[in-house]
Amino acid sequence: MKAIVLKTFGGPEALTLMEIPKPEPGPDDILIRVMATALNRADLLERQGHYPPPGKAPVHQVPGLECAGIVDAVGDRVTLFSPGDSVMALLPGGGYAEYAVIHERLAMPVPKGLPVQEAAAIPEVFLTAFDALYNQGGAHPGYRVLVHAGASGVGSAAIQLAHQVAMPVMTTVGSQLKVEAVRAFGADRVVNYRQEGFLDAVQAWTQGKGVDAILDFVGQAYLQDNLKALAADGTLVLIGALSGYEAHINLGVVQARRLKIHGTALRSRAFEKKVALVQQFIKEAIPLFESGRVKPVIDRVYPLRDIADAHRYMESNQNIGKILIEVSQDA
Ligand SMILES: NC(=O)c1ccc[n+]([C@@H]2O[C@H](COP(=O)([O-])OP(=O)(O)OC[C@H]3O[C@@H](n4cnc5c(N)ncnc54)[C@H](OP(=O)(O)O)[C@@H]3O)[C@@H](O)[C@H]2O)c1
């Protein structure tokens, strides 16, 4: 099959289209004929050699944390899916390819009514946002949440999901174009951080009380202000650290105001925990897509052979929502 392989680490030119053996499904696995995959910020790090796949190093390192497609074959013990089913899945890697293999309990049906390709924009960012908001962020009607990088893949998912539980959302973005976009996702208050600081904006928006939860991808540069922006008993969910991981923290603020700092990572999570999240998502979130209450946000679609251009586009921080990669049998 054709796949994008990391033969070396480095810039987008390190992404090499080549023929490699098709993966074989184990007894509990399904083999997916991939119709689309999607980019995630972590793919850029993996390409640079900073985000190795879990477990033993593969013979061919194929990035790609998610895909959507059609079940091509199933292992002997598989009961949940059959050949011909439309599925989407969170992958430990291997999504930039014509075929991918995944344990049946980590695969999800494509929401009814959604084109299969579009479903590739769901697994990584919606599972992350769903888990961060509903399981770790203590989602509750009326609680106020601050979502940083609201136009990112995860941010665009989080804003929509917050609305489903009647949580007012403030979000930060880095351009005027993104201000308009996140309003359309349902953000109640938008801060263009190039024009105003989010801390003052939070204080004004909450009459000095602070927000109940923050979903953050920025880390180092925002930590001090994030802690000041939280209400007493509030939760900071750290999903990424795009500005860096090292930060000075005033423990007095954390202790006196009973704050919680919750780190999260999907890829390294134990199998049973991943399965539990995927099964919870199938039950609670897929109906939201089927009723049209939430939608994957797709910015651009590239063919697999133009994957380097797709990486350059994400690196330029211009994308609003997801960058989809269409995988056809002639790549
Ligand atoms: N923990 C997990 O399991 C998990 C899962 C998925 C994703 N993530 C993390 O979630 C984050 C978002 O991922 P994604 O794929 O949705 O990203 P994305 O679509 O590429 O969006 C990232 C956006 O973040 C903003 N940004 C970049 N560098 C920044 C900086 N130094 N300071 C402030 N803002 C910055 C930019 O938007 P502006 O123009 O608005 O600044 C950029 O477009 C990443 O950190 C990723 O690693 C974590």
Side-chain angles (χ1 to χ4, degrees), residues 269-301:
R269 206 169 287 194
F271 173 75
E272 283 304 336
K273 289 193 171 165
K274 253 191 226 177
V275 166
L277 175 61
V278 166
Q279 298 307 316
Q280 181 193 6
F281 188 87
I282 291 173
K283 213 166 118 203
E284 296 176 23
I286 287 197
L288 301 176
F289 291 96
E290 295 184 334
S291 62
R293 293 168 69 193
V294 300
K295 290 186 175 65
V297 178
I298 296 166
D299 179 318
R300 285 191 186 183
V301 184

Side-chain angles (χ1 to χ4, degrees), residues 125-126 129 133 150 152-162 185 294-295 297:
V125 297
F126 271 95
L133 196 63
S152 66
V154 185
S156 63
I159 293 169
Q160 296 182 69
L161 289 172
F185 306 153
V294 300
K295 290 186 175 65
V297 178

Side-chain angles (χ1 to χ4, degrees), residues 27-48:
D28 299 305
D29 296 337
I30 60 173
L31 176 70
I32 303 171
R33 181 165 59 79
V34 177
M35 293 175 68
T37 180
L39 255 59
N40 287 283
R41 202 76 186 182
D43 300 2
L44 310 182
L45 289 178
E46 179 167 351
R47 193 199 71 215
Q48 292 158 0

Side-chain angles (χ1 to χ4, degrees), residues 90-132:
L90 186 69
L91 302 170
Y96 293 5
E98 287 179 314
Y99 291 88
V101 149
I102 190 72
H103 192 287
E104 63 165 342
R105 289 166 70 208
L106 290 175
M108 301 175 275
V110 168
K112 289 184 196 73
L114 196 72
V116 177
Q117 274 100 336
E118 289 185 23
I122 294 176
E124 180 75 20
V125 297
F126 271 95
L127 278 163
T128 299
F130 174 87
D131 189 41

